[in-house]
Amino acid sequence: MGTGKQRTERGATGDGPGRRPPVWLGRAAVVAILGLGVAHLLVTGGFVLSGQQEPTPGFLVWVFAPLLVALGPAAAAVSLMRPGAEGAPKRGPVWAAGTTAVLTTLLALVGLAPLAFGASPASLFLGPGPYALPCAVLFTALTLSARARRGTAVPPEGRSATTPGTARGTGRTPA
């Protein structure tokens, strides 16, 4: 069995019996969801900057609200990958990441659907499809990784640690 330091390092990277998803996966999910929000800001905000749209309060909400909403899933991803945290991830961030995975999958499907009807591939970058697809993949992987680790426990250390099948009453003794 490894030392406490090895165990912390393994948990921080997502390797071995750690309880957190890999840090790189959480960081990639954060970048992807914030990229989706920024892409929405640039595509829709461009109409105001070019003078094609009046900057009404309702339109400004439409421009900035998705970026603000993206901060929630980004915070959930950060919470799931915190390397210094002990114990299994809380249910709230796992549910938030799972909900984000489902919603961004639907958003990617809706955004890429015009391809099936003959839309120009270049026009797809004005919609959410190519920006939501990485979010869908990364948040699905993050959710599954966090969910798989919720039930795992770090094995105890020391001489009193028992291996499976060697507990009292099993008739076996540790070797």
Side-chain angles (χ1 to χ4, degrees):
M1 301 225 179
T3 65
K5 182 179 178 186
Q6 289 173 335
R7 210 189 258 174
T8 304
E9 290 171 0
R10 289 172 64 182
T13 61
D15 299 334
R19 294 182 171 198
R20 297 273 170 190
V23 173
W24 67 266
L25 182 59
R27 288 181 180 157
V30 168
V31 168
I33 196 70
L34 292 178
L36 177 63
V38 168
H40 178 80
L41 177 72
L42 293 175
V43 170
T44 57
F47 295 118
V48 172
L49 293 176
S50 67
Q52 296 176 357
Q53 177 74 34
E54 281 294 316
T56 63
F59 187 75
L60 292 177
V61 168
W62 168 245
V63 170
F64 288 104
L67 180 59
L68 295 175
V69 169
L71 294 176
V78 167
S79 174
L80 287 175
M81 69 164 182
R82 249 186 354 221
E86 291 294 323
K90 302 290 183 218
R91 287 185 182 198
V94 175
W95 275 93
T99 302
T100 303
V102 169
L103 292 177
T104 54
T105 299
L106 293 174
L107 192 60
L109 290 174
V110 168
L112 296 173
L115 274 179
F117 299 106
S120 167
S123 71
L124 289 180
F125 288 97
L126 295 176
Y131 308 107
L133 189 58
C135 293
V137 172
L138 291 169
F139 272 93
T140 298
L142 184 67
T143 303
L144 293 176
S145 179
R147 185 70 186 136
R149 284 174 170 60
R150 273 188 58 81
T152 61
V154 176
E157 289 186 15
R159 293 189 134 256
S160 64
T162 59
T163 58
T166 61
R168 282 196 162 151
T170 61
R172 295 182 180 175
T173 57

